[in-house]
Amino acid sequence: MNIPSELKYTKDHEWVKINDDVVTIGITDFAQSELGDIVYVEVETLDETLEAEEVFGTVEAVKTVSDLFLPVSGEIIEFNETLEDEPEKVNSDPYGEGWMIKVKCSDVSQIEGLMSADDYKSLIGG
Amino acid sequence: MKNTALTKTHEALGAKMVPFAGYNMPVQYEGVNIEHQTVRQGVGVFDVSHMGEFLIEGDQALNLIQKVSSNDASKLTIGKAQYSCLPNDHGGIVDDLIIYKIKDETYLLVVNASNIEKDWNWILSKNDVGAEMKNLSEDYSLLAIQGPKAIEAMQSLTSHDLAAIKFYNFVVGDFAGIENVIISATGYTGSGGFEIYCKNTEVKQVWDNVFKAGADYGIKPIGLAARDTLRLEMGYCLYGNDIDDTTSPIEAGLSWITKFTKDFTNSEALKAEKERGSERKLIAFELDERGIPRHDYDIVDANGNKIGVVTSGTMSPSLGKGIGLGYVPTVFADVNSKIYIQIRKKAIPATVVKLPFYK
């Protein structure tokens, strides 16, 4: 299972890439493989400011619907619109072309509360 | 949790296994979309050995079957199969099933895995005529070999001419080196092919030979997830979703298997329902916008009032849009009617369409 060491993770199987106060968020390789073929990514919270743990969107596989939880508080400033037509990018390239949103953090200290790659690896029993 | 005779085979192939109807079953191997396309364009194999098989025999066999089933089994000749259902006493459906006439006074009933015990007890309770009943479910396996290339890919495994077996006909004969196999031109995918019934002790040999014979045709194992998307694209009812103990065969669109040429359980009430018209109907719909309908989502009208419930829904792999089945009042059931599916906070517009979704 691919778990890049430079990223941060959540117990909800999301990854977070930090670039100053803007973070990019997607779901992990483990999450996409558990979900199976992803057929729809819905994010209707663009330009909204949400608290950490709030639902920012939904990812749908053929058989399941899963909520997407915001790892850190902030404004959702970008949605990866490629996923509207090619949601399968989340399966094929979860850490690259399958990224989901960019968030401008309102409290960068929350980033420190995220999991390291090693912690995440233990969480999924790697 | 029960296993089929092939559970270890599925695990060795890397299948994702899930509990289904009390069995440990493969839900997918490589991925639902590729498996779906394999069946639509080539040939794929499902282990559906969880399905139940009852043998009904004796000079009262037909009499019992006619009492419990909605279709007219007296029309069956040897080598023909019939889709039917078991109505209950209060307007609903105990199960849907396929009835095979194996020989005179011998019929095979194939029922849903989740209903084996319920169906057995139900039929037994109606057997005041003394037909002989045997439950073979634990001894028999079932492989569905489905897709447009199934006939060509499997022909080398049998001396019977597979192309000559018409839809809903079957032969009992040799297959993959095993004798007395039922080769049935039936299935739950809409893409043609066969269902193969053999003993648990024989099914591994059949499975292995099927994959050898199909190798040049790109044959793949197919899981239950693709079975569901395939059947839903055809609008085939799934018991427990689209039909159940509370839905009548008339409102479910199963009038074509409900024949009032004979008396059967609750037939007078069903006949009356057919004559006066059902209050609600099972409809097929496509979403006009992006989104995926799911089992139990509300169906609403233009003003947001709930008018019904989605019973099955998915993203159609073949059509690339959200499709589903659900019950609505008859006034909303005409083709081209506009309805809305409540998906989270939004009511997504949808159009009532004719089945099948995939043509």
Side-chain angles (χ1 to χ4, degrees), chain B residues 286-289 291-293 314-323:
Chain B
E286 293 180 4
L287 294 197
D288 300 340
E289 295 172 12
I292 306 171
T314 196
M315 172 68 87
S316 162
S318 302
L319 280 62
K321 56 171 128 175
I323 60 170

Side-chain angles (χ1 to χ4, degrees), chain B residues 204-253:
Chain B
K204 182 65 165 67
Q205 178 179 333
V206 173
W207 174 276
D208 289 342
N209 283 323
V210 162
F211 277 85
K212 271 181 213 150
D216 289 346
Y217 299 85
I219 199 165
K220 289 176 189 283
I222 314 294
L224 292 183
R227 184 169 164 85
D228 193 52
T229 53
L230 288 158
R231 71 93 192 168
L232 189 48
E233 283 188 344
M234 302 309 295
Y236 297 155
C237 287
L238 172 62
Y239 192 89
N241 280 34
D242 314 303
I243 51 176
D244 61 28
D245 294 300
T246 69
T247 61
S248 92
I250 309 300
E251 62 190 12

Side-chain angles (χ1 to χ4, degrees), chain B residues 79-276:
Chain B
K80 286 194 188 296
Q82 184 181 71
Y83 180 56
S84 191
C85 77
L86 306 175
N88 66 22
D89 285 321
H90 47 272
I93 299 172
V94 178
D95 201 3
D96 62 342
L97 75 167
I98 296 179
I99 299 170
Y100 291 85
K101 183 164 184 176
I102 306 288
K103 55 189 183 193
D104 279 331
E105 302 187 358
T106 301
Y107 296 82
L108 181 70
L109 276 51
V110 179
V111 304
N112 283 298
S114 51
N115 290 335
I116 291 172
E117 193 180 347
K118 181 177 83 163
D119 293 354
W120 177 264
N121 290 333
W122 176 258
I123 298 169
L124 195 62
S125 76
K126 301 287 181 184
N127 187 15
D128 53 9
V129 292
E132 297 161 41
M133 294 173 56
K134 284 184 197 140
N135 185 351
L136 307 179
S137 304
E138 299 280 315
D139 303 321
Y140 273 78
S141 291
L142 171 54
L143 300 182
I145 303 166
Q146 300 279 294
K149 294 183 184 166
I151 292 174
E152 201 184 338
M154 295 298 115
Q155 187 57 64
S156 65
L157 295 179
T158 177
S159 61
H160 294 274
D161 179 4
L162 292 178
I165 307 173
K166 292 185 188 136
F167 193 49
Y168 267 79
N169 282 237
F170 66 96
V171 297
V172 181
D174 64 295
F175 190 84
I178 307 284
E179 295 297 327
N180 286 317
V181 172
I182 296 177
I183 307 168
S184 169
T186 48
Y188 200 41
T189 65
S191 281
F194 298 92
E195 294 184 297
I196 302 288
Y197 298 84
C198 64
K199 293 193 180 115
N200 291 347
T201 49
E202 300 163 340
V203 70
K204 182 65 165 67
Q205 178 179 333
V206 173
W207 174 276
D208 289 342
N209 283 323
V210 162
F211 277 85
K212 271 181 213 150
D216 289 346
Y217 299 85
I219 199 165
K220 289 176 189 283
I222 314 294
L224 292 183
R227 184 169 164 85
D228 193 52
T229 53
L230 288 158
R231 71 93 192 168
L232 189 48
E233 283 188 344
M234 302 309 295
Y236 297 155
C237 287
L238 172 62
Y239 192 89
N241 280 34
D242 314 303
I243 51 176
D244 61 28
D245 294 300
T246 69
T247 61
S248 92
I250 309 300
E251 62 190 12
L254 297 178
S255 288
W256 65 281
I257 59 162
T258 307
K259 301 284 173 58
F260 301 109
T261 48
K262 53 148 195 174
D263 285 333
F264 56 91
T265 311
N266 205 35
S267 58
E268 279 192 24
L270 293 175
K271 191 174 182 192
E273 182 189 335
K274 184 167 185 189
E275 282 165 3
R276 71 170 184 271

Side-chain angles (χ1 to χ4, degrees), chain B residues 274-287:
Chain B
K274 184 167 185 189
E275 282 165 3
R276 71 170 184 271
S278 304
E279 287 170 21
R280 60 172 193 169
K281 279 187 178 163
L282 186 66
I283 49 120
F285 62 85
E286 293 180 4
L287 294 197

